[in-house]
Structure formats: C-alpha cells, structure tokens
Amino acid sequence: FSVITDWYHDAILELTMVRGFKSDYKWIAQTLDIDVSSVELAIERLLRLKLLKKAQNGRLVQGKGSTSVLGGDKTSVAQMGLQIELLRRAAKAVETIEKPKREQVSMAMAINSKDIPEAKIRIKKFNRELCEYLQRKGRTLDSVYQVCISLFPHTKL
C-alpha cells in the first residue's frame, strides 16, 4: 500500500471501467486533472504490482488484487497521508463541484464511545455495499467518484 498512496492510483484503476476509457496517458491526466508524469509513474507502479495489466489489444485493464485498506486497527503513515489528501480534495469539492454532482454531509451526535468498534464495522459494511450497488452489473460506468466517511470525537475521550 505504501507504494501507491496517492489518490490517483485508485482513480486510475477505477477509470479503466468507465465508458470511453482511453489507455492514453495524456487522456488519463486530463480526465483526472493531474500531470502526465504522475500518470506514467502511477501506471508503472500499478503494472509492477499487477493491479493493472495490458490486455492483448494494449488496453489497460484492472489486474488481480485490491487496494482496499478497510481492515486493521493501525494506520500507517502512508494511509494517514492518503486520508489527509482525500479530505483536502473533499473540501475543495465543496467549493468547486456543483451540489447535484456531489454529496457531503455531517452530523454531530452524542454517543457512548464504547460503540465505536461497532460503528467502524458498520461504516466498512456500508462502504462495501455502496460500492457493490454503484458498480452493479448492467450499469454503464461513466465517472470515478471518491467516498469519504469520517467518524471522530469532538470531545476528549
């Protein structure tokens, strides 16, 4: 995971499933609004890790494996960096993406902190179920979105 910590690694993997995807590095860079050199390095890493592969026709397709880091109670420096980067992108989206194309919500709530382990399980389950729903068979995939769900204390525990 520490090798592919930038947000666009997962975005490139997901982009391969989008209608109209082109294996052209410049097209990928323009679509994700990143520089071509970042795309080149990311694709090189993804190919090396077999998370991405080239089909016989030269088209980039997802390989085997997963970049999911939904498990475990420890957060690596790499995972922290990725989450911080995603939260910054989510904040930027509030300012730059029109409301019909995004959803960001929050809710303050009084809770018993002993329920946090179950809440984390439910968030992980929701994340997987939402992904399965949005990528269900028969649907034409035309965009790559990021889901960020945050649960954190406002009070000292």
Side-chain angles (χ1 to χ4, degrees):
F1 177 80
S2 63
V3 177
I4 55 169
T5 57
D6 293 303
W7 65 271
Y8 48 82
H9 288 90
D10 279 332
I12 290 169
L13 289 171
E14 294 301 310
L15 195 57
T16 64
M17 299 188 305
V18 170
R19 179 188 68 220
F21 172 74
K22 297 177 185 170
S23 296
D24 175 70
Y25 292 7
K26 186 176 179 182
W27 180 88
I28 294 169
Q30 289 174 339
T31 302
L32 297 178
D33 195 24
I34 58 176
D35 59 88
V36 176
S37 61
S38 294
V39 171
E40 291 170 352
L41 290 171
I43 289 175
E44 178 185 302
R45 285 184 203 109
L46 293 167
L47 288 168
R48 188 175 67 245
L49 295 169
K50 297 183 178 17
L51 295 170
L52 198 59
K53 64 182 181 179
K54 286 191 179 181
Q56 288 183 356
N57 63 2
R59 180 181 165 92
L60 292 169
V61 296
Q62 286 192 14
K64 294 186 178 178
S66 169
T67 61
S68 174
V69 290
L70 291 176
D73 283 333
K74 302 280 187 208
T75 303
S76 71
V77 173
Q79 289 169 317
M80 281 189 275
L82 175 61
Q83 287 304 311
I84 289 167
E85 187 174 1
L86 292 173
L87 290 171
R88 283 186 183 126
R89 290 185 62 76
K92 183 179 177 185
V94 172
E95 298 172 342
T96 61
I97 307 294
E98 58 192 59
K99 183 70 169 132
K101 293 184 178 179
R102 65 172 172 79
E103 187 65 36
Q104 281 139 322
V105 297
S106 64
M107 177 189 310
M109 61 186 94
I111 67 167
N112 184 314
S113 59
K114 291 178 183 171
D115 292 330
I116 292 295
E118 176 64 21
K120 290 172 66 174
I121 289 168
R122 289 175 182 226
I123 289 170
K124 289 172 190 174
K125 181 180 177 195
F126 166 77
N127 227 19
R128 287 187 178 111
E129 288 175 352
L130 182 62
C131 183
E132 287 174 14
Y133 169 74
L134 292 172
Q135 292 184 344
R136 67 195 181 277
K137 289 188 187 229
R139 300 293 290 175
T140 299
L141 307 179
D142 63 3
S143 300
V144 176
Y145 271 65
Q146 182 76 41
V147 175
C148 296
I149 300 171
S150 298
L151 173 68
F152 58 92
H154 279 304
T155 55
K156 285 187 177 181
L157 300 176

